[in-house]
């Protein structure tokens, strides 16, 4: 049985966010709310080691859902990690693409972590607990956490104890199938996306547990 | 939610009865008797496609039938099953582009396909087709395929032939036969990707995933989207996350993909017909040369009033909003979900500009509110009311040329109306700007000026100020209104009227010369204007004393207790100025109908 930490709550906000729908990747359209995958990304930026596996439990939405659109000149290729960029010319590789994003987002992420098989002899729950709490309150992170796309940097802080659910988010709203995360199942050996039916109830989405 | 709501639409409206078949216009039916004996061909009567308002639009086309789903063929040799164009069916190219060898190959490919079906489905109809395909082309078909003029050639080359086996009744086609259909259907599934996974539309786990994503047709600009443009496409490295290409990154089952594509085709084509032949209600509005707005509801609802505001005043749809529909609800209190999708097809991809969700009731209420906001007293005795959206758009651009309209403006305005949002700022700018440049265009004949353009703009200005600034503006002249901007507008109208009364026809009126400066820097201009108007009153007193007294009294009333003239006016204040001007002007005209209006 894997040990699990108590639930941590992190508040994340930013002026722009784009949690891209996988079916509309080229001309991005964001989901209405943060995906568990993106939430995991934010938390992992604060603290992650191979010894840890973060599990997202809930996502609370604190600000009304507002969409906006931008048109940007993007490039079509990815940079090679090998490093030889001498014959890459962005001007020849441009495409103008539309992005539908979220404006002024504010979330509280509830998550806990588990110790994995890759833990060392000195790794234990308490140690990482303290590390995380400390880093969270100091605002420390390995890289700037972002809201879906790297260019939308996020501000993070420990979550408040209570908050007011905005008027527009009261009630229950079905968001359809949302990306849960991209997993690498043992059987398959390559990454595979999984989806879950997302329901926004009074500003909160409960993330189902994933059975491996 | 986009894909899911489209999938729900396809299910509710029964748009896809057999996913392996799709609608396609079949121009000619080749009739075959027993053993493939050629009996002639027929051309079913043509359908006239209509636009969203039911008017004829485009050339008449052959009616669409359900035919085996076509492949993504472009220019390579690839025969479709049982229904294809002249190059494949007859081995003749009406456009004379291909050489004989290629045509022969194509006909053979077509025949081979039918033969492979025959191997599994021993139907006399199929064998008749094979026999026909193995024999030389009959003369009349050869004549049909060899067109005369260039335009005919291009057209004929794309036209598609189907087969009818007379001994089976002669009504349905060979490809309609249930055994043939299921043979084709199962073959489709085999050739689809073997990858399995969770479909992100239906949520079903472990289903086969499609390699062909939805490619809806008819997204504007139509010239560039022939053959359809894909909505989902991961066609460059930058879009592959985890090195997943599009099937793996966006896993969708074939049934879901076909349903979504069919739903989009249905929404995009005002004259779409269901597989059973029934027509569908139009659900699209073209917002600009390359954007289209599609809308639908979750449950069946009456939505014809959504397009009503395009060309007519919203008053025409008012009663529709309140009449109960089959569902038992009038649109104005129908709680079912309303979806709006704005698409553009530029750049070879279908781009989502916006996706909005609301309820039918909310949209109905929003339109009702819009109707109230734009209500104004219209010129030429038309009474109170408003104008169509097309008129409003044309009022925003020079010379009524809609190419000058920034496309985002058109869609922002439309969405603001439907979803009860504030109007874009740029609308205010455009209205004021146009007023300064072209306030009262000269009519074609006579001395009269065209008030309609100004009326349209003031109607929209009124709505803008009410929605965005919570102003309270009346439909007709408000004599009690004390705000100086409105009054100054009225004042200018009175001064203009005075000039007309005193001097009659003048080439350049006070308004022509001074509207711009009067509405933006009143302090600089009004003292001069008032001085001039005194001269006009003086002249009037000598000629028509009664009128002079009335006008003078009106002038005093409008000036009222205005202490001083403002130095400058903001855009919103200029808007009030324009409305004041228009209201006062209309007040002059509505009293005396005699010869002051055409």
């Amino acid at each position: 049985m894997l040990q699990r930490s108590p639930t941590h709550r992190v508040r994340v906000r930013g002026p722009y966010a784009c949690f891209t729908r996988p079916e509309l990747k080229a001309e991005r359209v964001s989901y209405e709310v943060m995906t568990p995958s993106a939430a995991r990304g934010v938390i992992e930026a604060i603290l992650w080691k191979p010894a840890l596996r973060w599990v997202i439990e809930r996502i609370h939405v604190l600000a009304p859902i507002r969409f906006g659109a931008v048109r940007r000149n993007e490039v079509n290729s990815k940079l090679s990690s090998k490093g030889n960029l001498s014959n890459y010319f962005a001007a020849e590789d441009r495409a103008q693409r539309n992005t539908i994003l979220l404006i002024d987002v504010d979330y509280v992420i509830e998550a806990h972590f588990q110790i994995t098989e890759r833990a060392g002899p000195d790794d234990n729950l308490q140690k990482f607990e303290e590390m995380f709490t400390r880093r969270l309150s100091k605002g420390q992170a390995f890289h700037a956490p972002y809201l879906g796309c790297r260019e939308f940097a996020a501000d993070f802080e420990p979550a408040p104890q209570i908050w007011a659910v905005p008027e527009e988010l009261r009630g229950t709203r079905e968001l359809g199938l949302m990306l849960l995360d991209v997993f690498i199942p043992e059987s398959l050996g390559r990454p595979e996306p999984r989806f879950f039916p997302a329901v926004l109830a009074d500003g909160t989405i409960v993330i189902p547990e994933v059975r491996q | 939610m986009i894909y899911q709501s489209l999938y729900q639409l396809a299910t509710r409206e029964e748009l896809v009865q057999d996913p392996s078949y799709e609608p396609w216009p079949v121009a000619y039916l080749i009739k075959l008797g027993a053993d493939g004996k050629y009996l002639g061909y027929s051309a079913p009567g043509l359908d006239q496609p209509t636009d969203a308002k039911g008017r004829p639009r485009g050339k008449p086309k052959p009616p669409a039938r359900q035919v085996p789903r076509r492949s993504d063929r472009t220019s390579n040799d690839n025969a479709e099953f049982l229904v294809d164009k002249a190059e494949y069916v007859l081995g003749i190219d009406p456009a004379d582009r291909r050489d004989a060898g290629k045509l022969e190959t194509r006909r053979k490919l077509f025949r081979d396909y039918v033969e492979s079906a025959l191997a599994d489905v021993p139907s006399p109809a199929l064998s008749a087709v094979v026999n026909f395909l193995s024999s030389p082309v009959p003369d009349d078909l050869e004549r049909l395929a060899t067109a005369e003029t260039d335009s005919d050639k291009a057209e004929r080359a794309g036209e598609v032939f189907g087969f009818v086996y007379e001994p089976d009744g002669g009504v349905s086609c060979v490809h309609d036969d249930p055994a043939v259909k299921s043979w084709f259907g199962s073959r489709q599934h085999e050739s689809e990707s073997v990858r399995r996974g969770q479909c992100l539309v239906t949520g079903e786990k472990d289903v086969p995933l499609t390699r062909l994503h939805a490619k809806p047709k008819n997204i504007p600009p139509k010239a560039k989207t022939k053959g359809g443009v894909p909505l989902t496409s991961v066609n460059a490295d930058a879009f592959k996350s985890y090195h997943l290409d599009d099937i793996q990154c966006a896993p969708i089952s074939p049934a879901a993909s076909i349903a979504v594509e069919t739903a989009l085709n249905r929404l995009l084509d005002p004259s779409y017909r269901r597989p059973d032949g029934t027509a569908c209600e139009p659900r699209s509005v073209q917002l600009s040369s390359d954007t289209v707005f599609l809308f639908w509801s979750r449950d069946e609802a009456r939505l014809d009033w959504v397009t009503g505001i395009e060309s007519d005043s919203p008053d025409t749809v008012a009663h529709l909003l309140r009449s109960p529909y089959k569902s038992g609800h009038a649109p104005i209190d129908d709680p079912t979900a309303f979806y709006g999708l704005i698409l553009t097809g530029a750049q070879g991809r279908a781009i989502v500009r916006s996706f909005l969700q609301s309820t039918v009731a909310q949209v109905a209420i929003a339109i009702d509110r819009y109707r109230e906001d734009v209500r104004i007293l219209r010129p030429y005795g038309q009474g109170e009311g408003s104008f169509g959206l097309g008129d409003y758009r044309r009022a925003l651009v020079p010379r009524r040329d809609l190419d000058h309209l920034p496309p985002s403006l058109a869609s922002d305005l439309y969405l603001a109306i439907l979803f009860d949002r504030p109007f874009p700022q740029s609308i205010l700018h455009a209205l004021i700007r146009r007023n300064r440049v072209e306030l009262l265009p000269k009519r074609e004949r006579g001395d009269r000026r065209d008030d309609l353009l100004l009326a349209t703009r003031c109607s929209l200005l009124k709505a803008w100020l009410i929605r965005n600034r919570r102003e309270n503006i009346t439909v007709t002249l408000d004599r009690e209104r004390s705000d100086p901007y409105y009054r100054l507008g009225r004042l200018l109208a009175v001064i203009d009227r005075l000039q007309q009364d005193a001097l009659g026809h003048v080439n350049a009126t006070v308004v022509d010369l001074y509207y711009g400066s009067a509405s933006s820097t009143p302090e600089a201009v009004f003292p001069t204007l008032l001085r001039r108007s005194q001269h006009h009153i003086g002249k009037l007193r000598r000629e028509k004393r009664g009128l002079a007294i009335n006008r003078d009294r009106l002038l005093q009333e409008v000036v009222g207790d205005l202490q001083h003239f403002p130095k400058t006016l903001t855009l919103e204040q200029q808007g009030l100025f324009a409305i004041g001007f228009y209201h006062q002007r209309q007040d002059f005209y509505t009293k005396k109908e005699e010869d002051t209006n055409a």
Side-chain angles (χ1 to χ4, degrees), chain A residues 21-185:
Chain A
R21 287 179 169 273
E23 66 267 24
L24 295 164
K25 268 182 119 0
E27 306 279 341
R28 301 176 187 283
V29 176
S30 174
Y31 281 110
E32 291 87 344
V33 292
M34 180 181 246
T35 57
S37 178
R40 182 176 60 80
V42 171
I43 306 257
E44 286 185 355
I46 301 174
L47 176 66
W48 181 82
K49 287 185 175 292
L52 298 181
R53 180 192 304 127
W54 282 100
V55 176
I56 310 291
E57 298 171 15
R58 281 167 207 261
I59 296 177
H60 303 280
V61 185
L62 270 58
I65 299 173
R66 300 239 179 287
F67 280 98
V70 284
R71 227 195 275 196
R72 302 183 281 185
N73 292 324
E74 303 181 17
V75 289
N76 286 317
S77 336
K78 286 197 229 189
L79 283 182
S80 158
S81 52
K82 303 280 189 336
N84 180 17
L85 300 174
S86 54
N87 50 3
Y88 178 73
F89 300 100
E92 291 164 5
D93 196 23
R94 290 218 176 271
Q96 194 174 76
R97 296 185 188 267
N98 200 37
T99 300
I100 305 231
L101 38 68
L102 295 170
I103 297 199
D104 289 331
V105 297
D106 192 352
Y107 304 109
V108 167
I109 303 172
E110 278 187 36
H112 67 262
F113 61 83
Q114 298 166 335
I115 304 286
T116 67
E117 315 78 52
R118 290 157 76 185
D122 293 333
D123 291 339
N124 57 63
L125 273 179
Q126 197 186 6
K127 170 172 139 183
F128 292 124
E129 284 278 304
E130 284 169 9
M131 277 174 84
F132 184 77
T133 326
R134 192 186 342 125
R135 287 170 73 88
L136 176 59
S137 50
K138 278 174 153 191
Q140 250 180 309
F142 294 120
H143 61 257
Y146 52 90
L147 299 159
C149 294
R150 212 101 200 215
E151 59 267 32
F152 304 130
D155 293 322
F156 65 93
E157 62 197 65
Q161 295 286 26
I162 52 165
W163 58 83
V165 177
E167 186 63 49
E168 298 104 321
L169 297 173
R170 304 244 166 132
T172 309
R173 188 171 151 186
E174 297 218 9
L175 300 178
L177 282 176
M178 178 185 267
L179 178 71
L180 178 54
D181 212 330
V182 180
F183 300 95
I184 306 185

Side-chain angles (χ1 to χ4, degrees), chain B residues 251-279:
Chain B
I252 303 183
S253 67
S257 181
I258 288 171
V260 167
E261 181 181 302
T262 314
L264 281 169
N265 281 335
R266 173 253 184 276
L267 293 170
L268 287 160
D269 182 4
S271 37
Y272 193 84
R273 282 178 189 276
R274 291 198 192 88
D276 59 16
T278 53

Side-chain angles (χ1 to χ4, degrees), chain B residues 140-158:
Chain B
D140 57 351
L141 279 178
E142 197 172 329
R143 274 196 300 273
L144 175 66
T146 346
E148 292 289 316
T149 64
D150 278 340
S151 55
D152 273 353
K153 282 183 183 178
E155 208 180 294
R156 197 58 49 80

Side-chain angles (χ1 to χ4, degrees), chain A residues 21 27 78 100 195, chain B residues 1 4 198 240 349 353:
Chain A
R21 287 179 169 273
E27 306 279 341
K78 286 197 229 189
I100 305 231
F195 302 87
Chain B
M1 205 55 204
Q4 272 144 326
Q198 186 184 25
K240 295 185 188 173
R349 292 184 292 276
R353 279 272 154 78

Side-chain angles (χ1 to χ4, degrees), chain B residues 60-281:
Chain B
K61 293 188 311 188
R65 310 176 71 106
Q66 291 287 310
V67 308
R69 190 162 281 272
R70 308 172 75 67
S71 63
D72 249 352
R73 159 180 90 188
T74 45
S75 53
N76 27 349
D77 298 331
N78 192 3
E80 305 288 355
F81 182 56
L82 269 186
V83 176
D84 208 337
K85 45 189 194 177
E87 288 177 41
Y88 288 87
V89 174
L90 306 174
I92 303 176
D93 181 9
D96 283 332
R97 283 168 310 195
R98 318 228 182 268
D99 63 60
K102 207 173 185 62
L103 292 172
E104 210 180 292
T105 321
R106 290 196 167 186
R107 197 172 193 222
K108 180 164 187 315
L109 280 174
F110 187 74
R111 189 177 79 225
D112 287 345
Y113 206 159
V114 185
E115 275 179 350
S116 61
L118 185 57
D120 292 330
V121 182
S123 121
L126 283 180
S127 105
V129 174
V130 171
N131 284 339
F132 171 81
L133 292 173
S134 317
S135 10
V137 180
D139 287 338
D140 57 351
L141 279 178
E142 197 172 329
R143 274 196 300 273
L144 175 66
T146 346
E148 292 289 316
T149 64
D150 278 340
S151 55
D152 273 353
K153 282 183 183 178
E155 208 180 294
R156 197 58 49 80
E159 284 175 341
V160 143
F161 293 79
F163 289 92
V164 174
Y165 187 60
E166 290 288 320
D168 274 349
V171 173
S172 59
C173 293
V174 179
H175 62 262
D176 289 328
D177 179 81
V180 173
K181 269 188 159 179
S182 70
W183 179 86
F184 183 71
S186 53
R187 220 185 119 104
Q188 281 291 75
H189 279 113
E190 277 161 32
S191 67
E192 297 275 352
S193 168
V194 191
R195 283 233 207 274
R196 303 178 83 86
Q198 186 184 25
C199 171
L200 62 76
V201 178
T202 58
E204 297 169 302
K205 299 216 171 80
D206 200 38
V207 288
L209 303 175
T210 183
R211 194 176 271 142
L212 296 173
H213 281 292
K215 259 177 112 179
K217 308 194 202 355
N218 282 326
I219 302 183
K222 294 204 189 151
K224 290 195 192 158
T225 60
K226 287 267 160 66
V229 282
L231 199 51
T232 302
S233 68
V234 175
N235 54 5
D237 263 353
F239 308 112
K240 295 185 188 173
S241 296
Y242 298 89
H243 298 285
L244 295 173
D245 65 19
D246 62 349
I247 340 167
Q248 300 158 318
C249 186
I252 303 183
S253 67
S257 181
I258 288 171
V260 167
E261 181 181 302
T262 314
L264 281 169
N265 281 335
R266 173 253 184 276
L267 293 170
L268 287 160
D269 182 4
S271 37
Y272 193 84
R273 282 178 189 276
R274 291 198 192 88
D276 59 16
T278 53
C280 297
E281 288 189 27

